[in-house]
Amino acid sequence: MSGAKGPTLLFIAGSLLLVPGLACATGAAQAVSAPPVGQAGGQPVQADQEGAPSPPLTPAEPVLKEAPPLPEIPVLNEEDARAEATRLNSAFRHEVPVALKVSSAQKAAWSALAKEQIQQASFPLDRPQVVLVVDRNPAVQRMCLMLALPGQSDWQVIGSTKVSTGTTGRKFYYITPTGVFINTADILGYRALGTKNENGIMGNGTKGMRVWDFGWQWAEKGWLPVPREKGQIRLEMHATDPVYLESRLGHVASEGCIRIPSSLNVFIDKHGLIDVEDEQMAVIDNRFRALLRPDRVATPLAGSAVIVVDSASRPDLAQVTISENKAPARHPAQQTHS
């Protein structure tokens, strides 16, 4: 908008939207500010609503007067990386009861789509690491945790579950964008308070569930006809209400965020799967130390990337990803180790 001087944050129908220039154009909108870190747990305003942003990061006193250098990020060779991925696969089968099988064809399709997004984003895949691949195809709605290996075509599956991404046909609901989204230490993230909205729904799940915040992202407005106009949403990944909404995972439903099962939320959090930057910052910044679980056992394969793909855009892969999509793992032994 001509003459716009800055963005405005608005809460509209439970969604937090960025509307560039609206405050300057109308003079009526009020910017939303988060409470100071250290008050109310450093939680953002309306923390248990989808899309509520993390509290702003401001310079903080280091943990030590003379802060040590950041620890080096582990780099495993292929053999050790595959062994660690196998260990994580075993842990996944025991810790995530809603695990789904992944066929060899699905594994190949999701890794191919993820590699396309990595190339388009110029993401530096410079070491073996875990990536979370989300297929937003309405007929699929799955996440697959994978060991990504630089220069290798044979990625390794760690586990998979149903998820829910942004839906269409409801006003102020956005279609989750495709791309590579980084859990960067520039944004702290937060934990759910477990509070309920006016409908009795815990938007981010029970108290203590992790909310990973990927910042402002452009997304298609799902309530508009094609070709859809885009707007900005606060893209986050979080759990959902365990009583009313978790059973509905596997269908598009969110306002644009990525909803995941609570057991998967705990698994990603406990093993630090995308917390590689947060782990480094925890050495010198108490806020990151407070955010991370005290009982975590961070994997040396920790990465930072959530990769959203859309198999529906590839007819040659769409049918492959849909196949066996609704078949749950009948027994932990059936979970793929490939």
Side-chain angles (χ1 to χ4, degrees), residues 47-84:
D48 280 352
Q49 290 196 7
E50 280 194 345
S54 302
L57 274 177
T58 55
E61 291 295 327
V63 176
L64 304 173
K65 291 183 178 180
E66 295 184 3
L70 295 179
E72 292 186 3
I73 297 174
V75 180
L76 302 185
N77 59 39
E78 182 178 347
E79 181 181 0
D80 290 342
R82 290 191 181 278
E84 173 64 7

Side-chain angles (χ1 to χ4, degrees), residues 28-278:
Q30 295 292 322
V32 177
S33 59
V37 175
Q39 295 182 18
Q43 296 288 344
V45 173
Q46 300 188 18
D48 280 352
Q49 290 196 7
E50 280 194 345
S54 302
L57 274 177
T58 55
E61 291 295 327
V63 176
L64 304 173
K65 291 183 178 180
E66 295 184 3
L70 295 179
E72 292 186 3
I73 297 174
V75 180
L76 302 185
N77 59 39
E78 182 178 347
E79 181 181 0
D80 290 342
R82 290 191 181 278
E84 173 64 7
T86 299
R87 185 194 69 79
L88 287 171
N89 173 262
S90 177
F92 188 91
R93 291 183 287 120
H94 287 88
E95 297 173 26
V96 185
V98 293
L100 299 176
K101 296 196 315 183
V102 177
S103 69
S104 297
Q106 287 173 320
K107 167 190 164 183
W110 284 328
S111 60
L113 290 166
K115 290 170 187 175
E116 290 178 0
Q117 292 295 334
I118 284 174
Q119 183 175 14
Q120 292 174 20
S122 299
F123 175 71
L125 184 63
D126 52 6
R127 51 179 281 272
Q129 61 190 273
V130 173
V131 295
L132 312 185
V133 182
V134 177
D135 190 347
R136 74 173 191 182
N137 183 343
V140 179
Q141 293 291 287
R142 288 273 292 274
M143 175 183 286
C144 187
L145 286 64
M146 308 186 82
L147 166 62
L149 294 159
Q152 297 287 331
S153 59
D154 187 22
W155 288 9
Q156 187 167 338
V157 171
I158 294 170
S160 180
T161 71
K162 296 177 181 180
V163 299
S164 286
T165 63
T167 190
T168 58
R170 298 182 65 180
K171 197 164 187 180
F172 305 121
Y173 279 64
Y174 289 72
I175 300 173
T176 306
T178 58
V180 180
F181 304 102
I182 305 302
N183 181 36
T184 171
D186 292 336
I187 302 174
L188 182 60
Y190 57 97
R191 292 188 179 274
L193 297 176
T195 54
K196 298 180 180 180
N197 63 17
E198 64 275 11
N199 299 314
I201 300 296
M202 290 183 282
N204 289 334
T206 56
K207 184 177 181 180
M209 288 288 105
R210 185 78 176 273
V211 179
W212 289 272
D213 186 344
F214 304 104
W216 293 106
Q217 305 293 340
W218 290 97
E220 292 184 57
K221 297 178 179 180
W223 66 95
L224 296 180
V226 178
R228 295 184 175 94
E229 178 185 355
K230 290 186 177 182
Q232 284 193 298
I233 64 168
R234 195 74 178 196
L235 180 60
E236 296 177 341
M237 181 176 73
H238 54 76
T240 191
D241 191 287
V243 176
Y244 299 106
L245 298 181
E246 186 160 330
S247 63
R248 301 182 187 180
L249 293 175
H251 305 276
V252 290
S254 80
E255 298 172 16
C257 292
I258 302 166
R259 296 178 183 174
I260 63 176
S262 56
S263 58
L264 177 60
N265 186 294
V266 171
F267 183 82
I268 297 170
D269 190 18
K270 180 179 177 181
H271 296 278
L273 296 187
I274 58 170
D275 287 338
V276 66
E277 292 190 25
D278 290 351

